[in-house]
Structures are given as C-alpha cells and as structure tokens.
Amino acid sequence: MKFSKQLQKIMHHFGLSTTELADKILVPKATISHLISERNKPSLEFIMKLHTTFPTLNLEWLIYEKEPFLVTEIYPKSIEKDQNKIPVLNEISEVEMVNEIENEDQNESQPEEIEPKNINQNITENPKNILSFQSKEIDCIVIFYNDGSFKKYNP
C-alpha cells in the first residue's frame, strides 16, 4: 500500500478533509496534497506529527505498512487499563492542594509558638559550634508520590 492510500485511510477513519488534517497536525495543506498525489514521500517529522496527533495509529503501520492499522486492534484491553493508570498532571490545582493541607491541619493540634533565638548571641557564646544557631524544629514533612498524591506528617 502506498503512503497516499494510508493517508486517505487515516482521513476517512477520523472523518477529516485535507484541510482539516493539515490544520490538525500543523502542516501546510500543500504537504497533504503532495503526499496524496504521490509527488512527495512523507518525512519522519510528518510521520511523528501524525502519530503524536493520533496516538491510536499503529506506528509500525505508518512506517512499514505492517497491520493492524490501529494500536487498539493489537492490545484493546491493555490500552484501556493503562489509560486508567496514567496520572493526569495538574489535575489538582495548587489552591486545591493548599485547601486539602489546611483541612488536615484543622484536625490536628496547633503547634506552640517558638521564640526566635538571637543568632549573634548564640555565636558569641559558643564560637566553636557555629552551626548550633541553625538548629530548628520540624514543623511538618510532606512526601510527594510519583502518581501525584502526597501525604503530610506532623510530629
């Protein structure tokens, strides 16, 4: 099968005209016309744009004409399962995260206020241990997991 036939199959499957396909993958309309008329062969960049825009297209089909046409025809059930596992970035906004942390804080006791130490006085009293003025107490520990969730611990 020539690439022109593959391109026409893609356009038919997704219900796109030449102009709509060109707009969707961000290429000039002439590029699509030249590929359909077999004046030009597709570049790797063009194949990558097609695959990025239509990830269900089988990349081996695009390059080597190896069936099946769509990836979902190879692994229909595993793709559905994997799509449920993919974390959606920015699903929870920063404001929602802060609100969730504040809600957790309301359920816990408020930490007592600690007076800041006079740093200069501490250094002059104990010059050998100059780092002692940096000792601080831990207020909370937040662990971020790779799935986008997090847990806050208060001592």
Side-chain angles (χ1 to χ4, degrees):
M1 177 185 301
K2 295 190 177 197
F3 190 77
S4 63
K5 299 290 183 196
Q6 287 177 284
L7 199 54
Q8 290 172 350
K9 185 173 181 175
I10 292 168
M11 289 171 25
H12 176 74
H13 178 77
F14 291 103
L16 300 171
S17 68
T18 306
T19 305
E20 290 169 330
L21 179 63
D23 291 343
K24 198 157 188 76
I25 64 173
L26 305 173
V27 297
K29 182 183 173 195
T31 300
I32 306 293
S33 298
H34 291 198
L35 289 167
I36 289 174
S37 68
E38 299 178 11
R39 176 180 170 192
N40 295 344
K41 292 189 178 193
S43 66
L44 179 57
E45 182 181 359
F46 183 84
I47 299 285
M48 290 169 51
K49 284 183 177 186
L50 267 177
H51 189 254
T52 302
T53 306
F54 305 106
T56 56
L57 289 175
N58 183 359
L59 194 54
E60 289 185 6
W61 179 81
L62 280 172
I63 298 171
Y64 304 112
E65 302 172 19
K66 184 178 176 184
E67 293 290 337
F69 164 59
L70 299 174
V71 177
T72 55
E73 294 171 8
I74 303 172
Y75 311 106
K77 294 191 179 194
S78 65
I79 287 178
E80 289 171 14
K81 289 178 186 176
D82 289 345
Q83 286 176 347
N84 293 333
K85 292 180 183 177
I86 297 172
V88 179
L89 297 178
N90 298 329
E91 188 174 276
I92 299 176
S93 69
E94 290 180 32
V95 174
E96 289 173 311
M97 288 178 151
V98 169
N99 288 340
E100 188 173 321
I101 291 171
E102 287 174 354
N103 289 340
E104 286 180 12
D105 285 344
Q106 290 174 358
N107 297 333
E108 299 173 8
S109 62
Q110 294 293 328
E112 60 186 65
E113 207 51 46
I114 300 173
E115 293 281 328
K117 296 179 180 178
N118 184 340
I119 294 174
N120 291 333
Q121 180 185 1
N122 196 359
I123 292 173
T124 56
E125 286 176 359
N126 194 358
K128 289 183 181 176
N129 191 3
I130 199 161
L131 296 178
S132 66
F133 75 94
Q134 291 181 345
S135 66
K136 298 179 182 181
E137 290 187 28
I138 295 174
D139 182 45
C140 73
I141 298 171
V142 180
I143 298 175
F144 294 93
Y145 297 97
N146 60 359
D147 67 352
S149 63
F150 63 93
K151 180 71 178 164
K152 180 181 175 189
Y153 297 96
N154 288 348

